[in-house]
Amino acid sequence: MREVAVIGAGSTKFGELWDKSFRALGIEAGAKALSDANLGGREVDALYIGNMSAGRFINQQHIDALIADYTGFANKHVPATRIEAGGASGGVAFRQGVMAVASGMHDVVVVGAAEKETDMDDSSISEVLSATADAEWEAGMGLTMPSLYAMLGRRMVHEGLCTREEIAACAVNSHHHGTKNPDAQFRSEITVDTILKAEPVAEPLTVFDGAPISDGACAVILCPLDKAKEYTDTYAKVSAAEQASDTLAMFQRRSSITFEATKVAARRAYETAGINPSDIDVAEVHDEQTVGGIMALQDLGLYPVGKAGRAFLDGDTYFDAGRIAVNTDGGLKAKGYPIGATGVSQIVEIFKQLTNQAEDRQVKDARYGLAQSVGGTGSAVTVSILEAI
Amino acid sequence: MAMVVAREWREIPGRYNLIGTKCGCCGRIFFPSRAFCPDCRRASIGKMEEFPLNRRGRIYSYTVIHGSEGFNARMTPYAVAMVLNDDGVMLEAQLVDVDLSKIEIGMRVRAVLRKLDEDGDAGVIHYGFKFVPDE
């Protein structure tokens, strides 16, 4: 297999973007990434697009054709493929793009990802989100996505693995970094106290434990590592792009306070990259709910079980703390959570960090960056590792 | 979300009566029922037996939901729980007829048949199990 490089990246601003259509968002992200890689567009061999639910959000299926058409690639009949894996849609799309280049099938690939949620009313949006759990045996029984995470969180507190305050601190970290990211939906600090006292959603979690409803799109450009220099001097190596599955319904697992798929994907990723968790300088984790952020740091092996919450509370996860910087773009909580776009958004941030383009939130001397993308309650997880060149 | 009637009645054994399956090779119990055992794989095909689950168990974790959609929006606040039943099988369902402030991990509960959802005024009514305290 060939080694693969990320040679360009772009993101729209995330948020309630009422003046921008799904098409407009996709075009903006794609154009930014192509221009970042110094490409005109004629070089592109294939498109991979992560999107969870345009079919329900904007009543549009066949997203592959839509994006190929409106980004001008249908002119050249470039193959386009849409990938859906719940919240991990973008992460899985990235992996498909990496595989296409690594295999030799394609040379220059665009991995795009987009979600347009706010064309739908809030209550219906939540219903679409809950459909990433088991529609028959979880959503159909009255369980919601936040309620599933809430039960994990309550159990973790019960077992003494973290405190309620430590869980909330995951959002404090994300908001702190959101203040430094111009593309973030929320650019204000938040305190543990504000989170605990906010309107409850699924006890003990409140409205500020969860990522918001967002629109947004992102794209990255991939090519063989040995050809990267033909296009740009700012590129990063893809050291690993791994993926693992688990049962669709959370209650069918043998363990309920870890996502086994994260552990398996992470183990494979460290092995492929030839590194240890302690080599990671910056990590993007799926904090759809704060509880997920704590679980991620433990399941990825970045912190021992029972220590991840404390890391958030003590600020060890800040970009300038000199430890493993976490969610430096604001994470899903503060940058925003346009579901299918998230996995690629994480790669955009890691790419910026490893190429010294992260400006006010730049992690010093970052060499290895990791991104973890989660579908449902850990039913699909991707773990990707990029390395600075 | 409206469903056609077939989608409702074909799940009745599981949803009304908690009928799962037990692997004839390793003895592992599955709910909802599975066509084969993911551990024993091909060896288990044809050896999966119907298994009526014990309706009693203990709360493993729970939450009180304040924001929900559709039919359940009018039920808020309501509780849902992960329940480890007395066969050692984990289940998820709503927890009703309970003082929301008195729910605890470890509490004994049992499954009863209740209304889960409805497809509008003239559509199918969906029934299934929910948990109640087991005094």
Side-chain angles (χ1 to χ4, degrees):
Chain A
M1 285 210 299
R2 301 192 292 185
E3 292 191 306
V4 180
V6 178
I7 58 170
S11 172
T12 66
K13 187 175 164 41
F14 283 8
E16 296 180 317
L17 311 174
W18 293 315
D19 57 336
K20 288 188 178 160
S21 67
F22 181 89
R23 296 168 199 216
L25 290 168
I27 293 164
E28 183 186 329
K32 278 183 177 168
L34 284 168
S35 131
D36 189 39
N38 303 313
L39 297 183
R42 293 186 193 284
E43 310 85 345
V44 174
D45 297 314
L47 303 177
Y48 290 87
I49 297 136
N51 168 258
M52 185 186 87
S53 210
R56 290 184 71 182
F57 286 134
I58 58 168
N59 229 0
Q60 174 72 59
Q61 298 288 8
H62 217 170
I63 289 308
D64 45 331
L66 173 85
I67 297 274
D69 184 2
Y70 279 81
T71 51
F73 290 116
N75 252 4
K76 218 181 88 174
H77 309 293
V78 169
T81 309
R82 176 261 182 101
I83 289 109
E84 192 266 318
S89 299
V92 176
F94 176 70
R95 181 165 184 266
Q96 290 296 313
V98 170
M99 286 164 68
V101 174
S103 71
M105 184 79 93
H106 296 301
D107 275 341
V108 178
V109 163
V110 178
V111 179
E115 205 79 59
K116 176 73 197 176
E117 297 183 43
T118 64
D119 280 354
M120 189 181 239
D121 66 279
D122 286 8
S123 167
S124 303
I125 292 169
S126 305
E127 214 167 327
V128 176
L129 276 172
S130 294
T132 63
D134 189 323
E136 199 80 54
W137 298 100
E138 290 180 318
M141 303 283 280
L143 290 104
T144 59
M145 278 305 284
S147 74
L148 293 165
Y149 274 108
M151 290 193 287
L152 295 178
R154 188 186 297 278
R155 186 70 199 188
M156 286 163 70
V157 171
H158 177 79
E159 295 194 9
L161 299 177
C162 59
T163 66
R164 174 65 184 104
E165 289 71 21
E166 289 173 356
I167 290 174
C170 172
V172 174
N173 174 72
S174 292
H175 271 256
H176 179 64
H177 289 138
T179 64
K180 301 177 186 306
N181 183 0
D183 291 330
Q185 183 164 354
F186 298 135
R187 305 207 57 204
S188 52
E189 302 276 356
I190 197 170
T191 64
V192 166
D193 199 44
T194 304
I195 296 164
L196 299 188
K197 285 181 179 156
E199 182 190 338
V201 170
E203 294 175 29
L205 303 182
T206 71
V207 66
F208 290 144
D209 281 284
I213 287 166
S214 320
D215 306 322
C218 292
V220 296
I221 317 292
L222 306 175
C223 82
L225 183 62
D226 59 12
K227 293 188 179 163
K229 267 208 170 325
E230 294 175 19
Y231 303 108
T232 177
D233 290 329
T234 48
Y235 59 97
K237 177 184 165 185
V238 180
S239 299
E242 297 294 336
Q243 180 183 345
S245 62
D246 207 336
T247 62
L248 178 60
M250 190 175 83
F251 66 91
Q252 300 199 345
R253 317 260 172 83
R254 283 195 164 102
S255 169
S256 298
I257 46 171
T258 87
F259 287 161
E260 204 59 35
T262 300
K263 286 188 177 174
V264 171
R267 191 169 63 233
R268 289 176 187 157
Y270 295 132
E271 203 177 290
T272 308
I275 61 168
N276 294 309
S278 57
D279 294 318
I280 299 295
D281 301 297
V282 52
E284 287 284 303
V285 303
H286 192 91
D287 60 338
E288 170 184 349
Q289 294 288 333
T290 44
V291 176
I294 308 257
M295 292 173 75
L297 296 195
Q298 296 178 167
D299 291 341
L300 291 166
L302 300 177
Y303 280 90
V305 174
K307 303 285 184 203
R310 190 77 220 177
F312 280 123
L313 198 62
D314 289 349
D316 289 346
T317 50
Y318 284 179
F319 76 102
D320 54 357
R323 310 282 293 272
I324 302 164
V326 179
N327 288 358
T328 50
D329 62 350
L332 284 56
K333 176 69 187 77
K335 187 188 178 189
Y337 184 35
I339 313 168
T342 294
V344 176
S345 171
Q346 296 175 321
I347 301 294
V348 171
E349 177 66 8
I350 296 297
F351 174 77
K352 282 186 182 172
Q353 289 288 356
L354 300 185
T355 53
N356 259 309
Q357 300 181 81
E359 299 177 343
D360 292 350
R361 56 185 194 278
Q362 180 64 50
V363 176
K364 202 164 166 273
D365 302 327
R367 182 172 176 205
Y368 287 104
L370 174 152
Q372 176 233 24
S373 186
V374 177
T377 46
S379 312
V381 177
T382 58
V383 174
S384 309
I385 296 173
L386 269 55
E387 182 184 352
I389 294 294
Chain B
M1 181 182 59
M3 296 196 287
V4 296
V5 177
R7 188 173 175 180
E8 177 66 18
W9 59 245
R10 68 171 176 249
E11 300 297 342
I12 281 177
R15 277 215 264 174
Y16 287 18
N17 299 320
L18 283 91
I19 308 284
T21 43
K22 183 174 182 175
C23 174
C25 301
C26 70
R28 191 174 165 195
I29 303 161
F30 297 94
F31 185 85
S33 61
R34 285 181 184 256
F36 66 90
C37 170
D39 294 327
C40 304
R41 304 196 63 82
R42 196 169 67 173
S44 68
I45 295 175
K47 291 184 187 157
M48 300 299 283
E49 303 148 14
E50 268 196 6
F51 187 89
L53 257 65
N54 193 315
R55 302 177 79 90
R56 292 183 150 81
R58 278 182 196 284
I59 293 180
Y60 175 84
S61 192
Y62 69 95
T63 179
V64 176
I65 296 179
H66 291 261
S68 196
E69 312 91 35
F71 174 78
N72 286 311
R74 78 177 84 154
M75 308 294 287
T76 56
Y78 65 93
V80 296
M82 296 172 79
V83 171
L84 194 61
N85 93 334
D86 291 347
D87 301 311
V89 179
M90 191 74 87
L91 302 166
E92 278 170 5
Q94 292 183 38
L95 177 61
V96 295
D97 295 348
V98 64
D99 181 342
L100 294 179
S101 64
K102 299 222 167 103
I103 307 170
E104 280 178 9
I105 288 175
M107 199 169 123
R108 295 286 304 172
V109 294
R110 68 187 163 88
V112 294
L113 185 77
R114 290 293 167 92
K115 179 176 172 178
L116 288 183
D117 201 350
E118 62 185 17
D119 293 343
D121 291 340
V124 175
I125 295 175
H126 307 283
Y127 294 97
F129 67 90
K130 295 183 182 180
F131 291 105
V132 297
D134 187 25
E135 309 303 342

